[in-house]
Amino acid sequence: MALFLKCLALGPMDKPWKTIIEPFKIKTVEPLGFTTEAQREAVLREACYNLFAVAADKVLIDLLTDSGTSAMSAEQWACMMRGDESYAGARSFFTFEGAVRRLTGYRYVMPVHQGRAAERILFSVTGGPGKTVVSNSHFDTTRANAEASGCVALDLPAQGALDFDTPADFKGNIDLKALEDAIRRIGAKNIPMIVMTLTNNSLGGQPVSMANLRETSRIALHYGIPVIIDCARFAENAFFIKRREPGFSSRKVSEIAQEMFSYGAGAMMSSKKDAFANIGGFLALNDPEWAKQSREILILGEGFPTYGGLAGRDLEAIARGLEEVLDEEYLTYRIRSIEYLAEGLRQAGVPIVEPPGGHAVYVNAKKFLPHIKPEGYPGQSLVCELYRTAGIRAVEIGSLMFGRNQDGRFVPASMELVRLAIPRRVYTQSHIDFVIEVFRDIARRKDLLPPMRLIEGAARLTHFTAKLMPEPA
Ligand code: F0G
């Protein structure tokens, strides 16, 4: 039986080889941005120590995000040539709609220019003052859009999700008991939806189990609240279910994904992640009234409902990507490549969120740099050092992103992490080996990394535009 399962995991490969290879060969290449340390030092100063302000050609290995950074396949490029650019009723829309419907089963499919547009539209329709949106964890734009509509965004992560040292299979889950308590306390009529983020990006890219989704849906149905799935990384989530959840090892990932969607009443997707597209997304709903109102806002801000701010060729690339991402050879490699980076970092003595997620490894900067207090932004200090040392770009997920200034008082985030997000099908093992070597180098002199001081920061989504300075030693 064990052997049988192994063979299944290997797909068409018939021997349990130790090395899991990149399941593609390279057709087009792009040079990396090599710089000297002096140049990088100047770049950092000019960018006010905010890596979002650094030009990408000054970056050697860009792990800022896995969003919109995928390499598209030859087939996706071929599909793009078939893009129908008609304003209304383009053929490409129907291809797109068919792909989304086959995957999700939802009736009304609206393309949008990226995930946050779906969030803005849905919260404009359903949110507003006095309402609370409940989630396993809102991603930062999801939270910002919910709050911009006037409602409260409440995170109810599973117990243990913030214990970064202890691995567990499904740390992305929602806390079901806290969910029921919250519904009773707040009142079902004040909760327009439960958002399930798959995988849970804000808390380490951790997956949500099918059992947790099923139970959330049961509770939601009981109280008459729709479940909306933020499915940016649905395929990685489905693959983790196949790997980790009893009863799923012989199911196809595509079927697992379909079952996941069956527990929701709609989905918001950024197709810049698990659709290998460089732009795009969708809002898919079952409720005709929500769909009608959403379409009106879509026309106002995005475009006619059959293109929603995208070109016909983008719709084609997304439709194709939604199918390609469910390839099990690809997912085996994808999850293994993240684990490989995690193993290297552990060996270098770098504490990470355990276990590694589906799209990124999250370094626990609070633990790695205990000499820097949260108000000194340890994550940002590490982000700057990665760039200064070797031109690696990563992102802080900590007090710069989530900390607040309340009545002149600094309120830190509950975590200080640095995310190393891996673009899909872009970097090879030698790039990752290099990243590990750089971490080994930094680990040796980590006690010298300086705290950072925030000089300027917007009230919302501070991290994108913040200006910082290293504190003098
Ligand atoms: N939901 C999740 C879970 C996300 O990770 C993102 C984006 C969005 C929604 C918004 O989608 O960018 O297309 O508007 N995450 C990117 C990241 C930005 O780097 O994790 P978008």
Side-chain angles (χ1 to χ4, degrees):
M1 186 62 186
L3 189 67
F4 175 63
L5 290 180
K6 243 185 193 160
C7 291
L8 270 178
L10 281 165
M13 300 283 277
D14 53 3
K15 232 175 148 180
W17 297 107
K18 205 166 121 276
T19 309
I20 293 168
I21 58 171
E22 284 89 358
F24 49 79
K25 53 186 176 175
I26 296 165
K27 194 192 273 287
T28 306
V29 298
E30 199 181 339
L32 298 177
F34 287 92
T35 48
T36 64
E37 187 162 354
Q39 284 168 333
R40 291 191 298 273
E41 191 63 67
V43 167
L44 268 180
R45 229 177 298 118
E46 210 169 300
C48 296
Y49 300 87
N50 184 337
L51 275 289
F52 283 100
V54 171
D57 63 358
K58 298 285 184 291
V59 174
L60 186 66
I61 297 194
D62 205 345
L63 308 183
L64 184 69
T65 181
D66 63 321
S67 180
T69 51
S70 296
M72 290 211 298
S73 65
E75 225 16 75
Q76 278 181 297
W77 284 108
C79 286
M80 286 182 85
M81 283 306 290
R82 286 194 285 275
D84 175 357
E85 305 303 342
S86 305
Y87 188 94
R91 187 183 59 243
S92 300
F93 169 73
F94 297 107
T95 305
F96 173 85
E97 184 187 48
V100 176
R101 277 197 183 144
R102 269 194 304 284
L103 173 68
T104 66
Y106 305 138
R107 216 165 305 145
Y108 306 103
V109 177
M110 287 159 267
V112 292
H113 82 276
Q114 61 181 83
R116 67 198 69 184
E119 294 162 1
R120 188 180 55 79
I121 292 169
L122 191 59
F123 292 131
S124 308
V125 171
T126 65
K131 303 267 173 68
T132 300
V133 179
V134 182
S135 176
N136 54 340
S137 290
H138 295 82
F139 178 66
D140 58 358
T141 59
T142 324
R143 167 175 293 279
N145 273 298
E147 290 175 352
S149 84
C151 68
V152 173
L154 178 65
D155 288 347
L156 300 173
Q159 304 248 325
L162 283 166
D163 173 3
F164 298 138
D165 298 335
T166 311
D169 285 343
F170 293 104
K171 289 170 87 175
N173 284 352
I174 196 166
D175 183 332
L176 294 165
K177 182 171 178 309
L179 174 63
E180 279 219 83
D181 289 350
I183 297 173
R184 288 208 200 94
R185 194 175 65 247
I186 298 163
K189 65 175 191 320
N190 300 318
I191 304 179
M193 72 182 97
I194 299 167
V195 174
M196 292 298 280
T197 310
L198 315 178
T199 57
N200 191 336
N201 187 12
S202 301
L203 289 181
Q206 306 289 328
V208 175
S209 71
M210 196 70 92
N212 191 256
L213 271 173
R214 198 180 296 130
E215 196 51 22
T216 302
S217 147
R218 194 192 61 74
I219 294 170
L221 224 58
H222 176 76
Y223 289 99
I225 305 169
V227 172
I228 300 294
I229 298 178
D230 177 343
C231 63
R233 300 176 181 87
F234 73 94
E236 288 164 8
N237 199 91
F239 191 72
F240 276 124
I241 289 176
K242 177 169 177 136
R243 275 285 174 86
R244 296 179 180 172
E245 194 161 348
F248 288 95
S249 60
S250 56
R251 296 265 302 275
K252 280 162 70 176
V253 178
S254 55
E255 289 168 11
I256 296 175
Q258 282 164 337
E259 183 176 339
M260 280 164 24
F261 285 109
S262 76
Y263 298 119
M268 308 181 268
M269 179 163 191
S270 165
S271 44
K272 299 170 75 174
K273 284 85 168 171
D274 266 356
F276 301 120
N278 301 124
I279 197 68
F282 62 77
L283 176 61
L285 297 168
N286 274 340
D287 184 288
E289 188 49 38
W290 277 15
K292 181 169 158 282
Q293 290 178 34
S294 297
R295 228 177 273 121
E296 284 166 16
I297 303 174
L298 183 76
I299 295 173
L300 208 61
E302 295 283 300
F304 191 71
T306 59
Y307 72 86
L310 295 171
R313 55 179 171 271
D314 298 323
L315 297 171
E316 295 280 349
I318 296 166
R320 171 76 200 177
L322 288 174
E323 287 174 16
E324 276 181 17
V325 76
L326 291 165
D327 177 80
E328 303 200 9
E329 291 297 340
Y330 160 73
L331 286 165
T332 303
Y333 138 80
R334 171 71 175 162
I335 299 306
R336 175 63 198 141
S337 64
I338 310 289
E339 282 166 359
Y340 180 84
L341 172 58
E343 283 165 14
L345 293 184
R346 277 187 212 116
Q347 277 163 17
V350 178
I352 60 168
V353 173
E354 297 286 4
H359 67 294
V361 176
Y362 293 62
V363 174
N364 188 344
K366 193 185 258 181
K367 208 169 160 192
F368 188 53
L369 306 173
H371 64 289
I372 305 181
K373 301 270 163 295
E375 46 269 51
Y377 304 104
Q380 192 61 18
S381 182
L382 177 56
V383 160
C384 289
E385 193 56 32
L386 278 166
Y387 182 75
R388 183 184 294 109
T389 305
I392 296 168
R393 178 154 69 170
V395 68
E396 189 254 20
I397 300 190
S399 289
L400 188 59
M401 193 180 269
F402 292 122
R404 284 176 194 231
N405 214 323
Q406 246 160 31
D407 315 319
R409 212 168 44 85
F410 173 79
V411 184
S414 52
M415 64 228 167
E416 303 295 341
L417 306 176
V418 168
R419 186 184 72 173
L420 308 169
I422 311 298
R424 292 168 183 77
R425 308 191 291 207
V426 170
Y427 293 117
T428 63
Q429 188 175 339
S430 70
H431 294 117
I432 300 301
D433 284 333
F434 175 74
V435 173
I436 295 166
E437 185 182 343
V438 171
F439 264 99
R440 268 202 302 271
D441 179 62
I442 294 177
R444 278 194 285 270
R445 54 191 165 78
K446 68 189 184 72
D447 297 341
L448 302 175
L449 266 57
M452 308 296 293
R453 186 155 49 88
L454 185 67
I455 304 167
E456 211 181 293
R460 221 178 254 153
L461 298 174
T462 319
H463 55 291
F464 287 128
T465 52
K467 295 184 176 171
L468 301 106
M469 276 254 300
E471 295 277 20

